[in-house]
Amino acid sequence: MRLRYWLTCLAICLFVPMQAWAAAQIKSARIWRAPDNTRLVFDLTGPVEHNVFSLDNPERIVIDIKSAALQTDIKNILATSSPLKDVRVGKKDSELRIVLDMKARVYPKSFTLAPNQQYGHRLVVDLFDNVQDPVAQVIKQQPEGKPVATVTPPVQKAPAGGQRDVIIAIDAGHGGEDPGAIGPGGLKEKDVVLAIARELQRQINAEKGFRAELVRTGDYFIPLRRRTEIARQKGADLFVSVHADAAPRSTAYGASVYALSDRGATSETARWLADSENRSDLIGGTGNVTLGDKDKVLAGVLLDLSMTASLSSSLDVGQKVLNHMGKITRLHKSRVEQAAFMVLKSPDIPSILVETGFITNPEESRKLNNKSHQLSIARSINAGVKQFFQISPPPGTWLAAQRDAGKTVVGPQEHVVRAGESLSMLAARYQVSLVEIRALNKLKSDVIKVGQKIQIPARTLAAQP
């Protein structure tokens, strides 16, 4: 018995160091391509130490990972269109070396991530594209350690004609290796909200005086603060972030609209004043607040007023969107809620976050995955946004010019056909042409049926005397 005890102790002593020294395994590699960068994600069995550096002539990125072993063929990352030309793997002692042969110069940033609900340990390598003007591209480190590329040149908002469009930045939440909430059957929030965002962009761009810009155009990850930076670069008059919520209970239901909380606004004002990068953006003319010639006290007052005005507009447009959404889906709350969401913290752009429903609710998940329902959600958001800007158009826009000329921009709207109505009657009633109604509704003839839903295009009406 005593011999068996000592043999067991010896085995334990030998086993523990071997486990401690065991190499972490790279289980898989994934790649995501964004417009200005490429993200590589290596899935690991445990934490690792690593080093990343670049070499030129030819252009290469070298990734050294200590005490690691490759358990998969990482050549699969070459299947995606990206600046990668080839990938090679070598080993020296216990150190694994991955060499990325590049088609063009890139700037690497890397970090490791601890396990979460979806993934285990990860090594993330971001490869930022080269730009013609190196001053325009600033690679900065976020507080949480995730790198982000910031392009600072402002976007010219007004065209040569002088009457610009109202610009709506549409942000599809999550993306890339961040799927967001997961619904029954594996439905991913990132896919649903991108589909809704694209449909919303299409509808907004169909209207005179409006232009919609997507913040995320594909399946890739964008850090939260970078999303608001992109909206600012595009000259946005409104930032709309689209999501599909998750809840601990699968019975939770309903759409919601959020604006920034007062407490979040206060803290963000302080952060912007303290952050020289942010101040330089505003001073440079990228935003709608100019602080360059103001002392700190006055700058604080002006920035606080700007944030207050943006928050007031956010609550207004948010309520209009929520009212229209209530016509096509159940609501979680009938009033705009407020929270300190990171993507809403822009001092000079009214911002709302739209939760289109609970993707974890089986019934709502089915609806959210339905193209017709996605179209209806987009239409309701579009209606609320346009209602707000028709009442409060930004100066210098076509909508503002119409208002100043005593004209009213109405619609679009939906009409349910009643007995005795014809398409020509609807055209006369709403003061639009038959051609416009046919085109919007994709009608091949003028025959309509009772109960049929006809979309009436937006139109400009002269003010009544």
Side-chain angles (χ1 to χ4, degrees):
M1 290 292 293
R2 181 170 294 182
L3 178 60
R4 181 180 300 174
Y5 169 79
W6 286 112
L7 288 174
T8 302
C9 290
L10 179 61
I12 293 173
C13 291
L14 291 173
F15 176 75
V16 172
M18 287 178 65
Q19 285 292 96
W21 296 334
Q25 300 289 318
I26 298 179
K27 299 186 296 181
S28 62
R30 293 172 282 128
I31 186 170
W32 310 93
R33 178 61 186 164
D36 59 358
N37 69 87
T38 304
R39 168 163 288 192
L40 295 177
V41 181
F42 298 97
D43 293 301
L44 310 166
T45 58
V48 295
E49 293 182 34
H50 76 285
N51 182 40
V52 175
F53 58 94
S54 58
L55 298 172
D56 55 13
N57 295 320
E59 299 294 339
R60 289 155 289 162
I61 301 297
V62 179
I63 308 168
D64 288 334
I65 309 173
K66 294 182 180 179
S67 301
L70 193 59
Q71 202 179 42
T72 184
D73 180 8
I74 61 172
K75 288 279 188 179
N76 67 297
I77 62 176
L78 299 174
T80 299
S81 178
S82 75
L84 271 72
K85 183 166 59 176
D86 197 8
V87 57
R88 295 174 284 126
V89 178
K91 190 149 188 177
K92 182 180 180 182
D93 298 327
S94 63
E95 186 169 87
L96 179 70
R97 169 163 289 190
I98 300 174
V99 179
L100 307 175
D101 295 317
M102 309 303 300
K103 300 173 186 174
R105 176 173 294 182
V106 295
Y107 297 95
K109 291 285 181 178
S110 65
F111 54 93
T112 57
L113 292 174
N116 61 18
Q117 292 180 342
Q118 277 93 28
Y119 303 107
H121 289 276
R122 285 156 291 161
L123 168 61
V124 179
V125 179
D126 283 331
L127 307 172
F128 294 99
D129 296 351
N130 191 16
V131 291
Q132 294 299 316
D133 179 8
V135 176
Q137 183 90 358
V138 179
I139 306 299
K140 67 182 182 181
Q141 202 74 12
Q142 290 195 183
E144 66 269 33
K146 296 179 181 178
V148 52
T150 303
V151 183
T152 56
V155 171
Q156 183 68 33
K157 295 173 70 172
Q163 293 182 6
R164 68 174 181 85
D165 292 333
V166 172
I167 302 171
I168 313 298
I170 307 171
D171 170 45
H174 308 280
E177 73 273 18
D178 174 18
I182 306 294
L187 183 64
K188 297 175 182 177
E189 179 182 5
K190 67 172 184 177
D191 297 329
V192 169
V193 298
L194 182 59
I196 294 172
R198 285 171 170 165
E199 174 58 28
L200 178 58
Q201 182 194 36
R202 186 194 67 79
Q203 292 184 20
I204 289 176
N205 284 342
E207 299 301 328
K208 184 173 177 58
F210 287 88
R211 186 172 89 244
E213 298 279 359
L214 291 180
V215 171
R216 175 168 73 87
T217 58
D219 185 16
Y220 51 87
F221 176 80
I222 305 176
L224 296 177
R225 287 206 182 276
R226 174 65 177 141
R227 294 171 189 257
T228 58
E229 290 170 359
I230 291 172
R232 184 168 293 103
Q233 291 159 22
K234 293 179 180 295
D237 296 290
L238 176 68
F239 178 87
V240 180
S241 190
V242 184
H243 291 257
D245 212 351
R249 295 179 295 107
S250 62
T251 54
Y253 67 87
S256 307
V257 176
Y258 287 87
L260 183 63
S261 69
D262 293 328
R263 181 174 299 179
T266 301
S267 64
E268 190 65 5
T269 296
R271 193 190 73 83
W272 270 77
L273 282 172
D275 190 334
S276 60
E277 288 287 340
N278 285 328
R279 282 207 306 275
S280 66
D281 266 3
L282 296 180
I283 292 167
T286 314
N288 297 323
V289 188
T290 303
L291 306 178
D293 59 346
K294 310 297 188 296
D295 62 39
K296 288 186 177 180
V297 174
L298 181 55
V301 172
L302 292 175
L303 191 55
D304 190 57
L305 288 173
S306 176
M307 181 71 87
T308 301
S310 292
L311 180 54
S312 176
S313 295
S314 301
L315 291 169
D316 190 355
V317 68
Q319 191 60 52
K320 287 177 170 58
V321 167
L322 194 62
N323 292 343
H324 283 279
M325 292 189 75
K327 298 175 183 178
I328 60 101
T329 190
R330 297 184 296 179
L331 298 179
H332 189 62
K333 295 285 180 63
S334 60
R335 304 294 299 177
V336 176
E337 299 179 79
Q338 292 181 257
F341 285 109
M342 184 72 74
V343 292
L344 300 181
K345 294 184 175 184
S346 181
D348 56 335
I349 308 174
S351 305
I352 60 173
L353 187 146
V354 180
E355 293 283 6
T356 55
F358 285 91
I359 200 170
T360 47
N361 179 306
E363 179 185 349
E364 292 203 336
S365 180
R366 284 193 296 271
K367 291 171 64 178
L368 288 168
N369 199 31
N370 180 275
K371 296 295 183 184
S372 177
H373 186 67
Q374 291 173 1
L375 187 148
S376 296
I377 289 175
R379 185 180 296 132
S380 65
I381 299 172
N382 182 25
V385 167
K386 283 188 292 185
Q387 183 183 1
F388 171 79
F389 282 111
Q390 285 164 0
I391 297 171
S392 306
T397 60
W398 179 83
L399 286 177
Q402 296 301 302
R403 180 198 59 188
D404 296 342
K407 298 178 180 179
T408 304
V409 182
V410 181
Q413 64 195 88
E414 188 175 80
H415 178 91
V416 180
V417 177
R418 298 172 184 171
E421 292 182 330
S422 66
L423 204 63
S424 58
M425 289 174 60
L426 296 182
R429 180 186 305 172
Y430 290 106
Q431 301 181 38
V432 295
S433 70
L434 276 171
V435 173
E436 289 178 297
I437 294 184
R438 291 193 200 104
L440 182 60
N441 293 273
K442 299 179 180 178
L443 299 176
K444 296 181 179 179
S445 71
D446 291 348
V447 177
I448 54 177
K449 300 178 182 179
V450 174
Q452 184 177 351
K453 294 180 179 179
I454 298 295
Q455 303 305 315
I456 308 298
R459 62 265 188 217
T460 303
L461 306 178
Q464 297 298 317

